[in-house]
Amino acid sequence: MNGLNGYANGELNGGDIITQNQQKGCWTIGLINSKFRYLTAETFGFKINANGASLKKKQIWTLEPDCSNGGDSYIYLRSHLDKYLAVDSFGNVTCESEEKEPGSQFQISVSDDGTGRWALRNVVRGYFLGSSSDKLTCTAKVPTDAEFWNVHLAARPQVNLRSVGRKRFAHLSENLDEIHVDANIPWGEDTLFTLEFRADESGKYALHTCNNKYLSSGGKLVDACNKDCLFSAEYHSGQLALRDKSGAYLSPIGSKAVLKTRSNTVTKDELFSLEDSLPQASFVASLNSRYISVKQGVDVTANQDEISDHETFQLEFDWNTKRWYIRTMQDRYWTLETGGGIQANGDKRSSNALFDLIWQGDGSVAFRANNGRYVITKRSGHLYATADNMDENCKYFFYLINRPILVLKSEQGFVGYKSGNNPKLECNKATYETIQVERADKGVIYFKGQNGKYWHCDSEGITADSDTPEGFYLELREPTRLSIKSVNGSYLSASKNGTFRLGESSFESATQWEY
């Protein structure tokens, strides 16, 4: 997926990440005025205002590039009702047309005051879009505070970061103290980054790494977010540039391609695309407690004691069959061979490379191959799809490798703390808390808050205030959704009032969490 494509369906909980009509260079965003209110398209009467308190369905706008114009900052803004924001011949701001018109074209300029706020100049009228009490205006020849907007990206916050200039992906350095932009493909947990929106820091962004650190403008990772870790987001022909407080842009520098700020101008080196981070997993065979591996070549064998790239597999969902392809780092797919053997030699997708994932409720999963039989582990460790029924030999404990830090979302909103220092968690927040994930044995994981405390579940809900971990299992349902089950057998479900607790006994009635 190119560019910053997010919840294109208008719902913040969006379903699939990108719709068919989502073109390259489109962003889904919220626009926040100087009073910290969001630009809002009301559901009835095509009314627009800047009264939104948080980023929800009515505050989502799709920013579309004007491909016919030579400039890199000419755009259109489309509401969740598929209507375009425009300025008419009398200067009135409207949002009623499904067609792009001359009056709906805007040009982005970025403030010079270090805040990174945007001003949106209507191209036909020559005036800037602003907000005054309940109404929108377009009367200012020069932008004032009322015409500047902070940009809240509505894309999924956990992404892979790809350099446009280097055509390489960012990853955590071996010393765990820098980000290097030299990976050919985004593989493993060290290529996952969380782009954190800081509403309390003038709408800037922090880049949070999988080892729970923050990137500073000088290129080093630090333990806590400070002003050197905050960047403004800029739009350039559908790509992202991140600018520090001194006006310099992040880019890969030197032979190691260290990510830090240097240049005060934007070239391809300063541009990035945010790519969807597909689920990558490791599996431990119940029979011999070894990780499934392709280290030895094409044979898929449960014979390794530790996780490396050879024991990490990307899970790619086929929407037509609701089954999964299982991809190796060498760009090969698990494939059912004649005789039932499983080998990683598929260089293109075929029906024999599709598998059903059948969750067992104890942190394990069974694979059903295209012949209708279940995959088992032989004594040699080799995998064969020869079982007619599931037994202990068909169990493989599941670990979601590239989510050492998790962001969870329900239909009500993100999972975050109730308020301030209150450790109670709710699932209706406009902004999210990052959750640390610790792996234990046999598919068990523990959740830990940024306060260093583990999740604790009781009848009142969930709090991050325990010194003792409580076990959970993750079960993939779709590319972007999963179920969360406690080791006691209950699924985690969200309530409309924002509370969430354990209770459901079946995944069908439980919440499927976007992650």
Side-chain angles (χ1 to χ4, degrees), residues 278-338:
L278 297 177
Q280 293 175 353
S282 290
F283 305 96
V284 176
S286 178
L287 177 72
N288 60 13
S289 299
R290 300 284 182 90
Y291 287 97
I292 296 177
S293 176
V294 290
K295 191 173 186 177
Q296 54 285 333
V298 297
D299 287 345
V300 181
T301 310
N303 64 357
Q304 296 298 311
D305 292 321
E306 296 180 346
I307 298 173
S308 73
D309 289 338
H310 298 293
E311 291 74 48
T312 301
F313 303 97
Q314 185 160 287
L315 299 171
E316 301 177 2
F317 194 67
D318 179 63
W319 284 98
N320 292 324
T321 64
K322 301 293 191 287
R323 294 192 288 172
W324 298 81
Y325 296 102
I326 304 174
R327 183 180 185 173
T328 73
M329 189 189 183
Q330 290 73 31
D331 201 21
R332 295 289 184 265
Y333 292 89
W334 290 18
T335 308
L336 173 68
E337 300 295 329
T338 304

Short mmCIF file of all heavy atoms in Angstrom, two decimals, residues 278-338:
data_model
loop_
_atom_site.label_atom_id
_atom_site.label_comp_id
_atom_site.label_asym_id
_atom_site.label_seq_id
_atom_site.Cartn_x
_atom_site.Cartn_y
_atom_site.Cartn_z
N LEU A 278 1.76 -6.25 7.86
CA LEU A 278 1.00 -7.51 7.86
C LEU A 278 1.43 -8.39 9.03
O LEU A 278 2.58 -8.32 9.47
CB LEU A 278 1.20 -8.25 6.54
CG LEU A 278 0.70 -7.52 5.28
CD1 LEU A 278 1.02 -8.33 4.03
CD2 LEU A 278 -0.80 -7.25 5.37
N PRO A 279 0.53 -9.23 9.54
CA PRO A 279 0.89 -10.07 10.69
C PRO A 279 2.00 -11.07 10.34
O PRO A 279 1.94 -11.73 9.30
CB PRO A 279 -0.42 -10.79 11.04
CG PRO A 279 -1.24 -10.72 9.80
CD PRO A 279 -0.87 -9.45 9.12
N GLN A 280 3.00 -11.13 11.20
CA GLN A 280 4.07 -12.11 11.07
C GLN A 280 4.13 -12.92 12.36
O GLN A 280 4.07 -12.37 13.46
CB GLN A 280 5.40 -11.42 10.79
CG GLN A 280 5.43 -10.75 9.42
CD GLN A 280 6.69 -9.96 9.15
OE1 GLN A 280 7.53 -9.78 10.03
NE2 GLN A 280 6.83 -9.47 7.94
N ALA A 281 4.24 -14.24 12.21
CA ALA A 281 4.07 -15.13 13.36
C ALA A 281 5.14 -16.21 13.39
O ALA A 281 5.79 -16.50 12.38
CB ALA A 281 2.68 -15.77 13.31
N SER A 282 5.30 -16.80 14.57
CA SER A 282 6.09 -18.02 14.73
C SER A 282 5.20 -19.07 15.37
O SER A 282 4.24 -18.75 16.08
CB SER A 282 7.33 -17.76 15.61
OG SER A 282 8.25 -16.95 14.93
N PHE A 283 5.54 -20.35 15.10
CA PHE A 283 4.72 -21.46 15.56
C PHE A 283 5.60 -22.51 16.24
O PHE A 283 6.64 -22.89 15.69
CB PHE A 283 3.98 -22.10 14.39
CG PHE A 283 3.16 -21.15 13.57
CD1 PHE A 283 3.66 -20.59 12.41
CD2 PHE A 283 1.88 -20.80 13.98
CE1 PHE A 283 2.91 -19.70 11.65
CE2 PHE A 283 1.12 -19.90 13.22
CZ PHE A 283 1.64 -19.36 12.07
N VAL A 284 5.15 -22.98 17.40
CA VAL A 284 5.87 -24.02 18.14
C VAL A 284 5.03 -25.31 18.08
O VAL A 284 3.86 -25.32 18.49
CB VAL A 284 6.10 -23.62 19.61
CG1 VAL A 284 6.76 -24.76 20.38
CG2 VAL A 284 6.97 -22.36 19.68
N ALA A 285 5.63 -26.38 17.58
CA ALA A 285 4.91 -27.66 17.50
C ALA A 285 4.70 -28.23 18.89
O ALA A 285 5.62 -28.30 19.70
CB ALA A 285 5.71 -28.65 16.66
N SER A 286 3.45 -28.61 19.18
CA SER A 286 3.14 -29.20 20.48
C SER A 286 3.89 -30.50 20.70
O SER A 286 4.28 -30.83 21.82
CB SER A 286 1.63 -29.42 20.59
OG SER A 286 1.29 -30.03 21.81
N LEU A 287 4.14 -31.26 19.61
CA LEU A 287 4.78 -32.57 19.72
C LEU A 287 6.17 -32.51 20.31
O LEU A 287 6.51 -33.28 21.21
CB LEU A 287 4.84 -33.23 18.34
CG LEU A 287 5.56 -34.59 18.29
CD1 LEU A 287 4.69 -35.66 18.95
CD2 LEU A 287 5.91 -34.98 16.86
N ASN A 288 7.00 -31.55 19.83
CA ASN A 288 8.41 -31.53 20.27
C ASN A 288 8.87 -30.19 20.83
O ASN A 288 10.06 -30.01 21.11
CB ASN A 288 9.33 -31.95 19.12
CG ASN A 288 9.21 -31.01 17.91
OD1 ASN A 288 8.63 -29.94 18.00
ND2 ASN A 288 9.78 -31.44 16.79
N SER A 289 7.93 -29.23 20.95
CA SER A 289 8.24 -27.90 21.49
C SER A 289 9.32 -27.17 20.70
O SER A 289 10.09 -26.38 21.26
CB SER A 289 8.64 -27.99 22.97
OG SER A 289 7.60 -28.53 23.74
N ARG A 290 9.39 -27.43 19.41
CA ARG A 290 10.36 -26.74 18.54
C ARG A 290 9.62 -25.79 17.59
O ARG A 290 8.48 -26.03 17.19
CB ARG A 290 11.15 -27.76 17.71
CG ARG A 290 11.95 -28.76 18.55
CD ARG A 290 13.20 -28.11 19.13
NE ARG A 290 13.99 -29.04 19.89
CZ ARG A 290 14.97 -29.80 19.38
NH1 ARG A 290 15.22 -29.77 18.07
NH2 ARG A 290 15.67 -30.59 20.16
N TYR A 291 10.33 -24.74 17.22
CA TYR A 291 9.76 -23.77 16.27
C TYR A 291 9.79 -24.32 14.85
O TYR A 291 10.78 -24.94 14.42
CB TYR A 291 10.55 -22.47 16.30
CG TYR A 291 10.32 -21.63 17.53
CD1 TYR A 291 11.20 -21.69 18.61
CD2 TYR A 291 9.21 -20.78 17.63
CE1 TYR A 291 10.99 -20.93 19.75
CE2 TYR A 291 9.00 -20.02 18.76
CZ TYR A 291 9.88 -20.10 19.82
OH TYR A 291 9.67 -19.34 20.96
N ILE A 292 8.71 -24.06 14.11
CA ILE A 292 8.69 -24.40 12.69
C ILE A 292 9.68 -23.49 11.97
O ILE A 292 9.74 -22.28 12.22
CB ILE A 292 7.28 -24.22 12.10
CG1 ILE A 292 6.30 -25.22 12.76
CG2 ILE A 292 7.29 -24.41 10.60
CD1 ILE A 292 4.87 -25.05 12.29
N SER A 293 10.46 -24.09 11.06
CA SER A 293 11.56 -23.36 10.43
C SER A 293 11.72 -23.76 8.97
O SER A 293 11.31 -24.86 8.56
CB SER A 293 12.87 -23.65 11.18
OG SER A 293 13.97 -23.04 10.55
N VAL A 294 12.30 -22.85 8.18
CA VAL A 294 12.73 -23.17 6.81
C VAL A 294 14.24 -22.95 6.69
O VAL A 294 14.76 -22.75 5.60
CB VAL A 294 11.97 -22.32 5.77
CG1 VAL A 294 10.51 -22.76 5.69
CG2 VAL A 294 12.06 -20.84 6.09
N LYS A 295 14.92 -23.03 7.82
CA LYS A 295 16.37 -22.79 7.85
C LYS A 295 17.12 -23.79 6.98
O LYS A 295 18.16 -23.48 6.39
CB LYS A 295 16.86 -22.87 9.30
CG LYS A 295 18.29 -22.38 9.51
CD LYS A 295 18.61 -22.32 11.00
CE LYS A 295 19.98 -21.71 11.24
NZ LYS A 295 20.27 -21.59 12.69
N GLN A 296 16.58 -25.00 6.90
CA GLN A 296 17.27 -26.07 6.18
C GLN A 296 16.99 -26.08 4.69
O GLN A 296 17.53 -26.89 3.96
CB GLN A 296 16.88 -27.44 6.76
CG GLN A 296 15.38 -27.72 6.81
CD GLN A 296 14.66 -26.97 7.93
OE1 GLN A 296 15.25 -26.65 8.95
NE2 GLN A 296 13.38 -26.68 7.71
N GLY A 297 16.14 -25.17 4.21
CA GLY A 297 15.84 -25.14 2.78
C GLY A 297 14.35 -25.09 2.53
O GLY A 297 13.63 -24.31 3.15
N VAL A 298 13.89 -25.95 1.61
CA VAL A 298 12.47 -25.90 1.25
C VAL A 298 11.58 -26.67 2.21
O VAL A 298 10.37 -26.43 2.28
CB VAL A 298 12.23 -26.42 -0.19
CG1 VAL A 298 12.95 -25.53 -1.19
CG2 VAL A 298 12.66 -27.87 -0.33
N ASP A 299 12.14 -27.62 2.95
CA ASP A 299 11.32 -28.39 3.89
C ASP A 299 10.86 -27.51 5.05
O ASP A 299 11.65 -26.75 5.63
CB ASP A 299 12.12 -29.57 4.46
CG ASP A 299 12.32 -30.68 3.44
OD1 ASP A 299 11.62 -30.67 2.42
OD2 ASP A 299 13.19 -31.54 3.67
N VAL A 300 9.58 -27.63 5.36
CA VAL A 300 9.03 -26.91 6.52
C VAL A 300 9.07 -27.88 7.69
O VAL A 300 8.36 -28.89 7.71
CB VAL A 300 7.59 -26.44 6.23
CG1 VAL A 300 7.03 -25.68 7.43
CG2 VAL A 300 7.55 -25.57 4.99
N THR A 301 9.93 -27.58 8.67
CA THR A 301 10.26 -28.55 9.71
C THR A 301 10.26 -27.89 11.08
O THR A 301 10.80 -26.79 11.25
CB THR A 301 11.66 -29.15 9.46
OG1 THR A 301 11.75 -29.58 8.10
CG2 THR A 301 11.93 -30.33 10.37
N ALA A 302 9.66 -28.58 12.06
CA ALA A 302 9.67 -28.08 13.44
C ALA A 302 10.94 -28.62 14.12
O ALA A 302 10.93 -29.72 14.67
CB ALA A 302 8.42 -28.55 14.18
N ASN A 303 12.03 -27.83 14.06
CA ASN A 303 13.31 -28.35 14.56
C ASN A 303 14.22 -27.28 15.17
O ASN A 303 15.40 -27.55 15.39
CB ASN A 303 14.06 -29.07 13.44
CG ASN A 303 14.45 -28.14 12.29
OD1 ASN A 303 14.12 -26.96 12.30
ND2 ASN A 303 15.16 -28.69 11.32
N GLN A 304 13.70 -26.09 15.45
CA GLN A 304 14.56 -25.03 15.97
C GLN A 304 14.14 -24.62 17.38
O GLN A 304 12.96 -24.63 17.73
CB GLN A 304 14.52 -23.81 15.05
CG GLN A 304 15.08 -24.06 13.66
CD GLN A 304 16.55 -24.45 13.67
OE1 GLN A 304 17.36 -23.77 14.31
NE2 GLN A 304 16.89 -25.51 12.97
N ASP A 305 15.16 -24.24 18.19
CA ASP A 305 14.90 -23.85 19.58
C ASP A 305 14.69 -22.35 19.76
O ASP A 305 14.24 -21.91 20.81
CB ASP A 305 16.08 -24.28 20.47
CG ASP A 305 16.18 -25.80 20.58
OD1 ASP A 305 15.12 -26.44 20.68
OD2 ASP A 305 17.30 -26.32 20.56
N GLU A 306 15.06 -21.55 18.75
CA GLU A 306 14.95 -20.10 18.87
C GLU A 306 14.32 -19.50 17.63
O GLU A 306 14.27 -20.14 16.57
CB GLU A 306 16.34 -19.48 19.10
CG GLU A 306 16.99 -19.90 20.42
CD GLU A 306 18.35 -19.25 20.61
OE1 GLU A 306 18.89 -18.70 19.62
OE2 GLU A 306 18.87 -19.29 21.74
N ILE A 307 13.88 -18.25 17.76
CA ILE A 307 13.25 -17.55 16.64
C ILE A 307 14.27 -16.69 15.92
O ILE A 307 15.00 -15.91 16.53
CB ILE A 307 12.10 -16.65 17.14
CG1 ILE A 307 11.01 -17.47 17.81
CG2 ILE A 307 11.51 -15.84 16.00
CD1 ILE A 307 9.93 -16.62 18.47
N SER A 308 14.36 -16.87 14.62
CA SER A 308 15.10 -15.97 13.74
C SER A 308 14.20 -15.65 12.56
O SER A 308 13.01 -15.99 12.55
CB SER A 308 16.41 -16.61 13.27
OG SER A 308 16.14 -17.62 12.30
N ASP A 309 14.76 -15.03 11.52
CA ASP A 309 13.96 -14.75 10.33
C ASP A 309 13.45 -16.03 9.68
O ASP A 309 12.40 -16.04 9.03
CB ASP A 309 14.79 -13.96 9.31
CG ASP A 309 15.05 -12.53 9.77
OD1 ASP A 309 14.28 -12.04 10.62
OD2 ASP A 309 16.02 -11.92 9.28
N HIS A 310 14.19 -17.14 9.84
CA HIS A 310 13.80 -18.41 9.24
C HIS A 310 12.60 -19.04 9.96
O HIS A 310 11.94 -19.93 9.41
CB HIS A 310 14.96 -19.41 9.27
CG HIS A 310 16.16 -18.95 8.48
ND1 HIS A 310 16.14 -18.83 7.12
CD2 HIS A 310 17.39 -18.56 8.88
CE1 HIS A 310 17.33 -18.41 6.70
NE2 HIS A 310 18.10 -18.24 7.75
N GLU A 311 12.33 -18.59 11.18
CA GLU A 311 11.20 -19.13 11.95
C GLU A 311 10.05 -18.13 12.03
O GLU A 311 9.12 -18.29 12.82
CB GLU A 311 11.67 -19.49 13.37
CG GLU A 311 12.59 -20.68 13.42
CD GLU A 311 14.00 -20.34 12.93
OE1 GLU A 311 14.55 -19.31 13.37
OE2 GLU A 311 14.55 -21.11 12.10
N THR A 312 10.12 -17.07 11.23
CA THR A 312 9.09 -16.04 11.19
C THR A 312 8.38 -16.11 9.83
O THR A 312 9.04 -16.19 8.79
CB THR A 312 9.71 -14.65 11.39
OG1 THR A 312 10.39 -14.62 12.65
CG2 THR A 312 8.64 -13.57 11.38
N PHE A 313 7.07 -16.10 9.87
CA PHE A 313 6.27 -16.26 8.65
C PHE A 313 5.20 -15.18 8.56
O PHE A 313 4.57 -14.85 9.57
CB PHE A 313 5.62 -17.65 8.62
CG PHE A 313 6.61 -18.77 8.74
CD1 PHE A 313 6.86 -19.36 9.97
CD2 PHE A 313 7.32 -19.21 7.64
CE1 PHE A 313 7.78 -20.39 10.10
CE2 PHE A 313 8.25 -20.23 7.75
CZ PHE A 313 8.49 -20.83 8.98
N GLN A 314 5.03 -14.66 7.35
CA GLN A 314 4.01 -13.63 7.13
C GLN A 314 2.70 -14.29 6.72
O GLN A 314 2.67 -15.14 5.83
CB GLN A 314 4.47 -12.66 6.05
CG GLN A 314 3.52 -11.48 5.85
CD GLN A 314 4.20 -10.32 5.16
OE1 GLN A 314 5.02 -9.62 5.77
NE2 GLN A 314 3.89 -10.10 3.91
N LEU A 315 1.62 -13.87 7.37
CA LEU A 315 0.29 -14.43 7.12
C LEU A 315 -0.50 -13.47 6.23
O LEU A 315 -0.74 -12.32 6.62
CB LEU A 315 -0.44 -14.67 8.44
CG LEU A 315 0.26 -15.65 9.39
CD1 LEU A 315 -0.40 -15.66 10.75
CD2 LEU A 315 0.27 -17.04 8.80
N GLU A 316 -0.87 -13.95 5.05
CA GLU A 316 -1.54 -13.11 4.06
C GLU A 316 -2.91 -13.70 3.76
O GLU A 316 -3.03 -14.83 3.31
CB GLU A 316 -0.68 -13.01 2.80
CG GLU A 316 0.69 -12.41 3.11
CD GLU A 316 1.62 -12.36 1.90
OE1 GLU A 316 1.18 -12.77 0.80
OE2 GLU A 316 2.77 -11.93 2.05
N PHE A 317 -3.93 -12.88 4.00
CA PHE A 317 -5.32 -13.36 3.96
C PHE A 317 -5.87 -13.30 2.55
O PHE A 317 -5.65 -12.32 1.81
CB PHE A 317 -6.17 -12.48 4.89
CG PHE A 317 -7.52 -13.03 5.21
CD1 PHE A 317 -7.66 -14.18 5.98
CD2 PHE A 317 -8.67 -12.39 4.79
CE1 PHE A 317 -8.91 -14.68 6.30
CE2 PHE A 317 -9.92 -12.86 5.11
CZ PHE A 317 -10.04 -14.02 5.86
N ASP A 318 -6.59 -14.35 2.16
CA ASP A 318 -7.30 -14.37 0.87
C ASP A 318 -8.78 -14.15 1.15
O ASP A 318 -9.45 -15.02 1.72
CB ASP A 318 -7.07 -15.72 0.17
CG ASP A 318 -7.81 -15.79 -1.15
OD1 ASP A 318 -7.49 -14.99 -2.05
OD2 ASP A 318 -8.73 -16.63 -1.28
N TRP A 319 -9.28 -12.99 0.72
CA TRP A 319 -10.65 -12.62 1.06
C TRP A 319 -11.67 -13.51 0.37
O TRP A 319 -12.78 -13.69 0.87
CB TRP A 319 -10.89 -11.16 0.70
CG TRP A 319 -10.26 -10.22 1.68
CD1 TRP A 319 -9.07 -9.58 1.56
CD2 TRP A 319 -10.79 -9.85 2.97
NE1 TRP A 319 -8.81 -8.82 2.68
CE2 TRP A 319 -9.86 -8.96 3.56
CE3 TRP A 319 -11.96 -10.16 3.67
CZ2 TRP A 319 -10.05 -8.40 4.82
CZ3 TRP A 319 -12.15 -9.60 4.92
CH2 TRP A 319 -11.21 -8.73 5.48
N ASN A 320 -11.33 -14.07 -0.76
CA ASN A 320 -12.28 -14.91 -1.49
C ASN A 320 -12.57 -16.23 -0.78
O ASN A 320 -13.71 -16.68 -0.70
CB ASN A 320 -11.77 -15.18 -2.91
CG ASN A 320 -11.77 -13.93 -3.76
OD1 ASN A 320 -12.65 -13.09 -3.64
ND2 ASN A 320 -10.76 -13.79 -4.62
N THR A 321 -11.51 -16.84 -0.27
CA THR A 321 -11.67 -18.16 0.37
C THR A 321 -11.67 -18.09 1.89
O THR A 321 -11.96 -19.09 2.55
CB THR A 321 -10.53 -19.10 -0.07
OG1 THR A 321 -9.28 -18.57 0.41
CG2 THR A 321 -10.48 -19.23 -1.58
N LYS A 322 -11.31 -16.91 2.45
CA LYS A 322 -11.17 -16.74 3.91
C LYS A 322 -10.10 -17.68 4.48
O LYS A 322 -10.18 -18.13 5.62
CB LYS A 322 -12.51 -16.96 4.64
CG LYS A 322 -13.61 -16.02 4.19
CD LYS A 322 -13.33 -14.58 4.60
CE LYS A 322 -14.53 -13.66 4.42
NZ LYS A 322 -14.84 -13.35 3.04
N ARG A 323 -9.11 -17.96 3.64
CA ARG A 323 -7.97 -18.77 4.08
C ARG A 323 -6.70 -17.94 4.00
O ARG A 323 -6.73 -16.79 3.56
CB ARG A 323 -7.86 -20.05 3.24
CG ARG A 323 -9.05 -20.99 3.46
CD ARG A 323 -8.80 -22.37 2.84
NE ARG A 323 -8.86 -22.35 1.38
CZ ARG A 323 -8.51 -23.38 0.62
NH1 ARG A 323 -8.08 -24.51 1.16
NH2 ARG A 323 -8.60 -23.29 -0.70
N TRP A 324 -5.59 -18.55 4.41
CA TRP A 324 -4.34 -17.80 4.56
C TRP A 324 -3.22 -18.40 3.71
O TRP A 324 -3.09 -19.62 3.60
CB TRP A 324 -3.89 -17.80 6.01
CG TRP A 324 -4.84 -17.15 6.97
CD1 TRP A 324 -5.96 -17.71 7.51
CD2 TRP A 324 -4.77 -15.83 7.49
NE1 TRP A 324 -6.59 -16.81 8.34
CE2 TRP A 324 -5.87 -15.65 8.36
CE3 TRP A 324 -3.87 -14.77 7.33
CZ2 TRP A 324 -6.10 -14.47 9.05
CZ3 TRP A 324 -4.08 -13.59 8.03
CH2 TRP A 324 -5.20 -13.44 8.87
N TYR A 325 -2.40 -17.50 3.15
CA TYR A 325 -1.11 -17.88 2.60
C TYR A 325 -0.06 -17.67 3.69
O TYR A 325 -0.16 -16.72 4.47
CB TYR A 325 -0.74 -17.01 1.40
CG TYR A 325 -1.65 -17.15 0.21
CD1 TYR A 325 -2.63 -16.18 -0.06
CD2 TYR A 325 -1.53 -18.21 -0.67
CE1 TYR A 325 -3.46 -16.29 -1.16
CE2 TYR A 325 -2.35 -18.33 -1.77
CZ TYR A 325 -3.32 -17.36 -2.01
OH TYR A 325 -4.14 -17.47 -3.10
N ILE A 326 0.94 -18.54 3.72
CA ILE A 326 2.00 -18.44 4.74
C ILE A 326 3.32 -18.25 4.00
O ILE A 326 3.80 -19.15 3.32
CB ILE A 326 2.02 -19.68 5.64
CG1 ILE A 326 0.64 -19.89 6.28
CG2 ILE A 326 3.09 -19.53 6.72
CD1 ILE A 326 0.50 -21.16 7.08
N ARG A 327 3.89 -17.08 4.15
CA ARG A 327 5.03 -16.65 3.33
C ARG A 327 6.33 -16.66 4.14
O ARG A 327 6.34 -16.30 5.32
CB ARG A 327 4.75 -15.24 2.83
CG ARG A 327 5.80 -14.65 1.91
CD ARG A 327 5.35 -13.25 1.51
NE ARG A 327 6.21 -12.63 0.54
CZ ARG A 327 5.95 -11.48 -0.05
NH1 ARG A 327 4.83 -10.83 0.26
NH2 ARG A 327 6.78 -10.95 -0.93
N THR A 328 7.42 -17.06 3.50
CA THR A 328 8.73 -17.04 4.15
C THR A 328 9.47 -15.76 3.78
O THR A 328 9.09 -15.03 2.85
CB THR A 328 9.59 -18.23 3.73
OG1 THR A 328 10.04 -18.03 2.37
CG2 THR A 328 8.82 -19.53 3.83
N MET A 329 10.57 -15.48 4.49
CA MET A 329 11.37 -14.31 4.20
C MET A 329 11.97 -14.38 2.79
O MET A 329 12.26 -13.35 2.18
CB MET A 329 12.48 -14.16 5.24
CG MET A 329 13.23 -12.85 5.14
SD MET A 329 14.66 -12.83 6.21
CE MET A 329 15.23 -11.14 5.94
N GLN A 330 12.15 -15.60 2.28
CA GLN A 330 12.71 -15.77 0.93
C GLN A 330 11.65 -15.61 -0.16
O GLN A 330 11.91 -15.94 -1.32
CB GLN A 330 13.37 -17.15 0.81
CG GLN A 330 14.66 -17.33 1.60
CD GLN A 330 14.43 -17.45 3.10
OE1 GLN A 330 13.38 -17.97 3.52
NE2 GLN A 330 15.36 -16.98 3.90
N ASP A 331 10.48 -15.10 0.23
CA ASP A 331 9.40 -14.84 -0.72
C ASP A 331 8.86 -16.14 -1.33
O ASP A 331 8.51 -16.19 -2.50
CB ASP A 331 9.85 -13.88 -1.81
CG ASP A 331 8.68 -13.21 -2.50
OD1 ASP A 331 7.59 -13.17 -1.90
OD2 ASP A 331 8.84 -12.73 -3.64
N ARG A 332 8.82 -17.18 -0.53
CA ARG A 332 8.22 -18.45 -0.92
C ARG A 332 7.04 -18.73 0.01
O ARG A 332 6.98 -18.22 1.12
CB ARG A 332 9.24 -19.60 -0.84
CG ARG A 332 10.40 -19.46 -1.84
CD ARG A 332 9.89 -19.71 -3.25
NE ARG A 332 10.96 -19.69 -4.24
CZ ARG A 332 11.30 -18.63 -4.96
NH1 ARG A 332 10.68 -17.49 -4.77
NH2 ARG A 332 12.26 -18.70 -5.86
N TYR A 333 6.13 -19.58 -0.46
CA TYR A 333 4.93 -19.88 0.31
C TYR A 333 4.88 -21.36 0.69
O TYR A 333 5.32 -22.21 -0.09
CB TYR A 333 3.68 -19.52 -0.50
CG TYR A 333 3.51 -18.04 -0.71
CD1 TYR A 333 4.09 -17.40 -1.80
CD2 TYR A 333 2.79 -17.27 0.20
CE1 TYR A 333 3.95 -16.04 -1.99
CE2 TYR A 333 2.63 -15.91 0.01
CZ TYR A 333 3.22 -15.30 -1.08
OH TYR A 333 3.08 -13.95 -1.26
N TRP A 334 4.38 -21.61 1.92
CA TRP A 334 4.10 -23.00 2.27
C TRP A 334 3.15 -23.58 1.22
O TRP A 334 2.15 -22.95 0.86
CB TRP A 334 3.40 -23.08 3.62
CG TRP A 334 4.21 -22.74 4.83
CD1 TRP A 334 5.38 -22.05 4.88
CD2 TRP A 334 3.87 -23.06 6.18
NE1 TRP A 334 5.80 -21.90 6.17
CE2 TRP A 334 4.90 -22.52 7.00
CE3 TRP A 334 2.82 -23.73 6.78
CZ2 TRP A 334 4.88 -22.65 8.38
CZ3 TRP A 334 2.79 -23.86 8.16
CH2 TRP A 334 3.82 -23.33 8.95
N THR A 335 3.46 -24.78 0.77
CA THR A 335 2.66 -25.41 -0.28
C THR A 335 2.46 -26.89 0.01
O THR A 335 3.39 -27.57 0.45
CB THR A 335 3.35 -25.25 -1.66
OG1 THR A 335 3.67 -23.87 -1.86
CG2 THR A 335 2.43 -25.71 -2.78
N LEU A 336 1.25 -27.36 -0.23
CA LEU A 336 0.94 -28.79 -0.10
C LEU A 336 1.49 -29.52 -1.32
O LEU A 336 1.14 -29.22 -2.46
CB LEU A 336 -0.58 -28.97 0.00
CG LEU A 336 -1.09 -30.41 -0.03
CD1 LEU A 336 -0.67 -31.16 1.22
CD2 LEU A 336 -2.61 -30.42 -0.20
N GLU A 337 2.37 -30.50 -1.06
CA GLU A 337 2.97 -31.28 -2.15
C GLU A 337 2.26 -32.62 -2.30
O GLU A 337 1.51 -33.07 -1.42
CB GLU A 337 4.46 -31.50 -1.85
CG GLU A 337 5.27 -30.22 -1.71
CD GLU A 337 5.36 -29.42 -2.99
OE1 GLU A 337 5.33 -30.05 -4.07
OE2 GLU A 337 5.44 -28.18 -2.92
N THR A 338 2.51 -33.29 -3.42
CA THR A 338 1.99 -34.65 -3.62
C THR A 338 2.51 -35.55 -2.51
O THR A 338 3.69 -35.55 -2.19
CB THR A 338 2.46 -35.18 -4.99
OG1 THR A 338 2.04 -34.27 -6.01
CG2 THR A 338 1.86 -36.55 -5.26
#
